[in-house]
Amino acid sequence: MLANILQTLGLVLLGGATLVMLLMLAQYCRLVSLTGKTAAARLRLLEEKLQTLRGVRERQQSLPVAWNGIRKFRVDRKTPEPGGICSFYLVPNDGKVPLPSFQPGQFLTFRLDLDGKEIVRCYSLSDCHRPDHYRVSIKRVLAPREPAGLPPGKVSGHFHDSVNVGDILDVRAPSGEFAINPHDSGGLVLSGAGVGVTPVLSMLNAIIEEKARREVWFFYGVRNGSENMLKEQIRAWRAAAIPNVHFVVCYSDPDSSDRLGEDYDYAGRVGADLFQRLLPSANFDFYTCGPPPMMNGVRDGLAEWGVPESRVHDEAFMQVTKSVKVSASVDFKRTGKKVGIDGEIANLVKFAESEGVKIPTACWLGKCGTCMTALVEGKVKYSTKPTFDKLEKGCCLPCICVPDGNIVLDA
Ligand SMILES: Cc1cc2nc3c(=O)[nH]c(=O)nc-3n(C[C@H](O)[C@H](O)[C@H](O)COP(=O)(O)OP(=O)(O)OC[C@H]3O[C@@H](n4cnc5c(N)ncnc54)[C@H](O)[C@@H]3O)c2cc1C
């Protein structure tokens, strides 16, 4: 009897143990198959990413390198945009395509001859690379309300009023440090206000066109719908539900026809407070372009939020000049003129101009190199760090520096 009970107990225990083992085996098999599936999915994603990167690299390697000096471009299309902006589509006059690649965010430098004088201006490329054309979008600069009597913007007005389809323009190759690689890792916050959207729009277009996987938050600020040059485009992108790209449209002064939640997402300006409300964390690279108060606000707000300075990038279209006290002599060697300074000056270009010495300049920000001049003797002090990447040894960028003691300039 006892033997029977023990035998039954043994059988039950054996059965139980077998059942537990079978359950564990099943669990193990499920795990192995899940891990296998996850690993396979990861592998597929990696392969896709590699394929995209290979494609991008091959495409870029097949593109010609940028040109030196001036290349002639023909205006192929001129399209008015909202907000007093006009887009110009430029094709190479020599017909040689594909066009050299550029980093999204870079700008073109135009040399014009207006009223017998050479004048140079920079305009950001507002689209990603296309093999057959470049695009720039230019806002007409109106005369400031104050002080009264100042003229409207010379070159922007010229582009709007006098540059037409078929016209030939002198253009220097894309350049600039405010740029991204769409295929780097890490999330991006791209913010642009008004016409300042152009370089970040180029970055966004590149991310979308090249199906890059970086997480992107795109903040776009304008006064209201009448100035929104991306209304249809953003609507189309939203409909395409691009999983890694988020759009936030801000109107600072919406009018009665603008619909919250449809035409725009926030009533107010683009700023770091909005980033803090919407972003999942501060772990992004921030690229901002807009009017100086907006960029200063973003910079200060991001610093308060603890974003390292190395992750904050901005592009100014205009220089905000602060004069500094200088006591020195400037010897303009080529002109044969030596003058003393004892007072405040904004920069060497303006000072030279006041002395009748012309130093050509374009960006007034130390970005484009138009004003690069040999510093034969002495030292200069910069108001902002030059970002022109081809600054030659023994030269300076007079648009953003003042003498630091007596100098001799090759001007
Ligand atoms: C890297 C970079 C990228 C840029 N990208 C773009 C872009 O994508 N789109 C765009 O629209 N712009 C862009 N800009 C700005 C552009 O280069 C020009 O600065 C802008 O078009 C104004 O040039 P303008 O000749 O029309 O105006 P300017 O004739 O230079 O006049 C500018 C302002 O100065 C005032 N002014 C004129 N004369 C005087 C005077 N004697 N004293 C005081 N004030 C005076 C004018 O009233 C006007 O308000 C960019 C600039 C840089 C540096």
Side-chain angles (χ1 to χ4, degrees):
M1 173 74 171
L2 186 65
N4 276 349
I5 292 171
L6 282 175
Q7 197 182 9
T8 316
L9 203 64
L11 280 174
V12 168
L13 281 174
L14 193 67
T18 315
L19 195 69
V20 169
M21 275 176 66
L22 279 174
L23 279 173
M24 281 171 68
L25 193 67
Q27 183 73 2
Y28 175 74
C29 289
R30 203 172 70 87
L31 266 177
V32 167
S33 108
L34 261 185
T35 322
K37 271 186 206 153
T38 318
R42 286 224 180 104
L43 206 65
R44 223 179 15 255
L45 271 179
L46 260 175
E47 268 168 13
E48 269 174 34
K49 200 170 171 183
L50 267 175
Q51 200 61 31
T52 318
L53 284 175
R54 255 183 237 130
V56 171
R57 205 187 51 206
E58 275 162 23
R59 226 177 25 254
Q60 280 175 350
Q61 277 173 351
S62 70
L63 292 172
V65 287
W67 62 98
N68 275 326
I70 295 291
R71 185 169 174 187
K72 304 253 178 226
F73 279 76
R74 187 165 32 82
V75 178
D76 187 50
R77 208 153 31 111
K78 178 177 175 183
T79 312
E81 313 269 10
I85 295 172
C86 200
S87 287
F88 295 83
Y89 295 75
L90 311 172
V91 296
N93 197 40
D94 56 20
K96 284 189 191 146
V97 288
L99 285 167
S101 183
F102 60 86
Q103 289 172 281
Q106 291 191 308
F107 57 86
L108 292 176
T109 304
F110 292 81
R111 191 185 68 184
L112 299 108
D113 190 353
L114 297 186
D115 311 323
K117 276 197 205 144
E118 183 183 302
I119 182 161
V120 185
R121 289 285 182 275
C122 308
Y123 291 102
S124 300
L125 287 144
S126 59
D127 196 359
C128 59
H129 179 258
R130 311 276 173 192
D132 57 340
H133 70 265
Y134 290 140
R135 185 183 77 178
V136 291
S137 304
I138 299 178
K139 185 178 167 86
R140 183 196 285 279
V141 175
L142 302 172
R145 256 184 252 147
E146 280 180 14
L150 284 176
K154 207 172 192 161
V155 174
S156 57
H158 171 76
F159 265 93
H160 278 250
D161 300 333
S162 311
V163 174
N164 293 308
V165 171
D167 285 355
I168 306 292
L169 296 167
D170 286 348
V171 185
R172 275 202 238 136
S175 61
E177 297 282 301
F178 181 74
I180 61 151
N181 176 347
H183 299 283
D184 270 353
S185 54
L188 286 169
V189 175
L190 309 176
S191 55
V195 75
V197 75
T198 48
V200 289
L201 178 61
S202 168
M203 296 176 186
L204 177 68
N205 276 337
I207 296 267
I208 294 175
E209 284 287 309
E210 295 182 17
K211 297 191 172 46
R213 289 168 190 275
R214 298 182 81 169
E215 182 182 356
V216 177
W217 285 76
F218 182 75
F219 291 82
Y220 174 42
V222 282
R223 196 158 339 145
N224 52 45
S226 71
E227 294 188 355
N228 184 352
M229 68 179 259
L230 299 176
K231 202 184 267 179
E232 295 315 317
Q233 181 63 83
I234 289 182
R235 196 167 286 161
W237 277 328
R238 277 188 163 139
I242 307 157
N244 55 325
V245 183
H246 314 269
F247 300 94
V248 184
V249 177
C250 303
Y251 285 2
S252 59
D253 185 17
D255 67 27
S256 53
S257 62
D258 295 323
R259 291 153 306 171
L260 182 66
E262 236 175 272
D263 300 320
Y264 67 105
D265 306 294
Y266 283 91
R269 292 181 198 280
V270 175
D273 51 336
L274 193 57
F275 300 164
Q276 287 197 47
R277 271 168 56 198
L278 300 181
L279 298 177
S281 75
N283 186 19
F284 285 87
D285 275 297
F286 294 81
Y287 287 81
T288 309
C289 183
M294 174 221 179
M295 290 198 293
N296 293 339
V298 166
R299 204 165 252 285
D300 293 347
L302 291 178
E304 268 171 40
W305 196 16
V307 178
E309 222 186 305
S310 60
R311 304 198 72 181
V312 181
H313 317 264
D314 49 35
E315 175 93 302
F317 281 179
M318 256 183 272
Q319 175 211 42
V320 183
T321 328
K322 256 208 248 144
S323 294
V324 286
K325 179 133 187 37
V326 175
S327 180
S329 74
V330 183
D331 186 351
F332 295 105
K333 200 166 163 245
R334 214 155 358 124
T335 322
K337 192 169 191 179
K338 190 170 176 177
V339 268
I341 314 171
D342 193 14
E344 296 204 331
I345 66 162
N347 55 54
L348 264 170
V349 172
K350 291 247 181 224
F351 176 70
E353 206 172 78
S354 70
E355 294 296 330
V357 179
K358 176 96 185 117
I359 301 177
T361 187
C363 70
W364 295 96
L365 293 157
K367 288 170 190 287
C368 70
T370 304
C371 68
M372 185 162 71
T373 307
L375 181 63
V376 184
E377 263 173 48
K379 283 193 296 180
V380 291
K381 268 191 295 207
Y382 284 100
S383 54
T384 50
K385 199 167 157 264
T387 51
F388 177 57
D389 53 355
K390 295 187 190 87
L391 178 56
E392 285 166 24
K393 209 165 166 247
C395 288
C396 65
L397 298 175
C399 76
I400 51 161
C401 71
V402 295
D404 185 10
N406 299 343
I407 60 166
V408 180
L409 266 189
D410 186 27

Coordinates of all heavy atoms in Angstrom, one line a residue, residues 18 37 50 80 82 106 119 148 153 177 197 228 263 315 317 336 372 410:
T18 N 8.4 17.1 -15.1 CA 8.5 17.1 -16.6 C 7.7 18.3 -17.2 O 8.2 19.0 -18.1 CB 7.9 15.8 -17.2 OG1 8.4 14.7 -16.4 CG2 8.1 15.6 -18.6
K37 N 13.9 37.0 -33.7 CA 13.1 37.9 -34.5 C 13.6 39.4 -34.3 O 13.8 40.1 -35.3 CB 11.6 37.9 -34.1 CG 10.9 36.8 -34.9 CD 9.4 36.9 -34.5 CE 8.7 35.6 -34.7 NZ 7.6 35.4 -33.9
L50 N 22.7 51.1 -43.7 CA 23.9 51.0 -44.4 C 23.7 51.3 -45.9 O 24.5 52.0 -46.6 CB 24.5 49.6 -44.3 CG 25.5 49.5 -43.1 CD1 25.9 48.0 -43.0 CD2 26.7 50.4 -43.4
P80 N 7.4 84.2 -56.5 CA 7.1 85.0 -55.3 C 6.6 84.1 -54.2 O 5.8 83.1 -54.5 CB 6.0 85.9 -55.8 CG 5.8 85.7 -57.2 CD 6.5 84.4 -57.6
P82 N 5.0 84.0 -49.9 CA 4.4 84.9 -48.9 C 5.5 85.6 -48.1 O 6.6 85.1 -48.0 CB 3.6 84.0 -48.1 CG 3.4 82.8 -48.9 CD 4.6 82.6 -49.8
Q106 N 24.4 75.6 -45.8 CA 25.4 76.6 -46.4 C 24.7 77.6 -47.2 O 23.5 77.6 -47.6 CB 26.4 75.8 -47.1 CG 27.3 74.9 -46.2 CD 28.4 74.3 -47.0 OE1 28.3 73.7 -48.0 NE2 29.6 74.5 -46.4
I119 N 29.3 94.8 -55.6 CA 28.6 94.6 -54.3 C 28.4 93.1 -54.1 O 28.0 92.5 -55.1 CB 27.4 95.5 -54.2 CG1 26.7 95.4 -52.9 CG2 26.4 95.3 -55.3 CD1 25.7 96.6 -52.6
A148 N 14.3 107.8 -39.7 CA 13.7 108.0 -41.0 C 14.7 108.4 -42.0 O 15.8 108.9 -41.7 CB 12.7 109.2 -40.8
G153 N 16.8 98.1 -48.6 CA 17.9 97.2 -48.9 C 18.2 97.2 -50.4 O 17.3 97.1 -51.3
E177 N 29.7 77.4 -42.1 CA 29.9 76.4 -41.1 C 28.6 76.0 -40.4 O 28.6 75.0 -39.6 CB 30.8 77.0 -40.0 CG 32.2 77.3 -40.5 CD 33.1 76.1 -40.5 OE1 33.2 75.4 -39.5 OE2 33.5 75.8 -41.7
V197 N 14.3 81.1 -41.9 CA 14.0 79.7 -42.0 C 14.9 79.0 -43.1 O 15.0 77.8 -43.2 CB 12.5 79.5 -42.3 CG1 12.1 79.8 -43.7 CG2 12.1 78.0 -41.9
N228 N 3.4 82.9 -44.1 CA 3.8 81.5 -44.0 C 4.2 81.0 -45.4 O 3.3 80.6 -46.1 CB 2.7 80.7 -43.3 CG 3.1 79.3 -43.1 OD1 4.2 78.8 -43.5 ND2 2.3 78.5 -42.3
D263 N -3.7 75.7 -39.1 CA -2.7 76.5 -39.8 C -1.5 76.7 -38.9 O -0.4 76.8 -39.4 CB -3.2 77.9 -40.2 CG -4.4 77.8 -41.1 OD1 -4.4 77.0 -42.0 OD2 -5.4 78.6 -40.8
E315 N 22.9 81.1 -36.8 CA 23.3 81.8 -38.0 C 22.7 83.2 -38.0 O 21.4 83.3 -37.9 CB 22.9 81.0 -39.3 CG 23.2 81.7 -40.6 CD 24.5 81.3 -41.2 OE1 25.5 81.4 -40.5 OE2 24.5 80.8 -42.3
F317 N 22.0 86.7 -40.0 CA 22.0 87.3 -41.4 C 22.5 88.7 -41.3 O 22.9 89.3 -42.4 CB 20.6 87.3 -42.0 CG 20.1 86.0 -42.5 CD1 18.8 85.9 -43.0 CD2 20.9 84.9 -42.5 CE1 18.4 84.7 -43.5 CE2 20.4 83.7 -43.0 CZ 19.2 83.6 -43.5
G336 N 48.5 103.8 -49.8 CA 49.5 104.8 -49.4 C 49.0 105.8 -48.4 O 49.3 107.0 -48.5
M372 N 38.7 89.3 -46.8 CA 40.0 88.8 -46.3 C 41.2 89.7 -46.9 O 41.3 89.9 -48.1 CB 40.2 87.4 -46.8 CG 41.5 86.8 -46.2 SD 41.5 85.0 -46.3 CE 41.7 84.7 -48.0
D410 N 47.3 95.4 -46.1 CA 47.4 95.4 -47.5 C 46.1 95.9 -48.2 O 45.5 95.1 -48.9 CB 47.8 94.0 -48.0 CG 48.2 94.0 -49.5 OD1 48.6 95.1 -50.0 OD2 48.0 93.0 -50.2

